[in-house]
Amino acid sequence: MNDRELYCMAREAMKNAYTPYSHFNVGAALLCEDGTVYTGVNVENGSFGATICAERTACVKAVSEGHRKFTAIAITSSRGSASPCGICRQFLSEFGTDLRVITGDDADHLVSYTLAELLPDHFVL
Ligand SMILES: [Zn+2]
């Protein structure tokens, strides 16, 4: 699974985003260490605080299926590249800060960062 393939999976997943309020669609594809990929989309709610981001949707799906080790996550949005929000950065850091975060305006213009670069001093309980 290369970055482009993972990004394209996020792009495809984005079609299922539920965004009746913002119309800002986000898709994510989380690559597990064993090669399994879980996708996620943002799911908005009329009680705005209950909204969940695509990155956390993908992570919750993976964790609930028994996965704990992740190598990369691709993120895309209806406006092109998308960087994970603060909550998602912290949420993902629970499983390691070596995670590669891949995004870009399209599959031909990808950039990647480590989660440690995006969240250098993550909270640890
Ligand atoms: Zn988020």
Side-chain angles (χ1 to χ4, degrees):
M1 175 71 55
N2 63 36
D3 290 2
R4 184 185 178 87
E5 291 168 331
L6 195 64
Y7 180 87
C8 288
M9 289 183 75
R11 199 86 197 154
E12 182 67 23
M14 185 177 69
K15 295 174 182 171
N16 293 324
Y18 178 75
T19 59
Y21 306 104
S22 74
H23 307 290
F24 178 62
N25 295 2
V26 181
L30 180 64
L31 178 62
C32 303
E33 192 176 65
D34 71 353
T36 307
V37 175
Y38 288 90
T39 60
V41 299
N42 52 334
V43 181
E44 294 182 346
N45 191 277
S47 175
F48 292 163
T51 294
I52 186 168
C53 302
E55 301 92 315
R56 281 181 285 145
T57 299
C59 190
V60 166
K61 286 169 68 177
V63 171
S64 66
E65 294 299 322
H67 295 273
R68 300 289 187 275
K69 295 182 184 297
F70 310 114
T71 59
I73 186 168
I75 307 165
T76 186
S77 84
S78 49
R79 295 182 198 153
S81 70
S83 188
C85 77
I87 293 173
C88 286
R89 292 176 191 201
Q90 177 61 40
F91 194 91
L92 293 166
S93 77
E94 181 75 18
F95 304 98
T97 55
D98 291 337
L99 182 74
R100 290 180 54 246
V101 178
I102 302 156
T103 189
D105 285 339
D106 58 59
D108 293 323
H109 300 89
L110 298 179
V111 293
S112 69
Y113 311 90
T114 66
L115 190 56
E117 289 175 306
L118 296 176
L119 186 68
D121 189 22
H122 70 285
F123 174 79
V124 178
L125 186 62

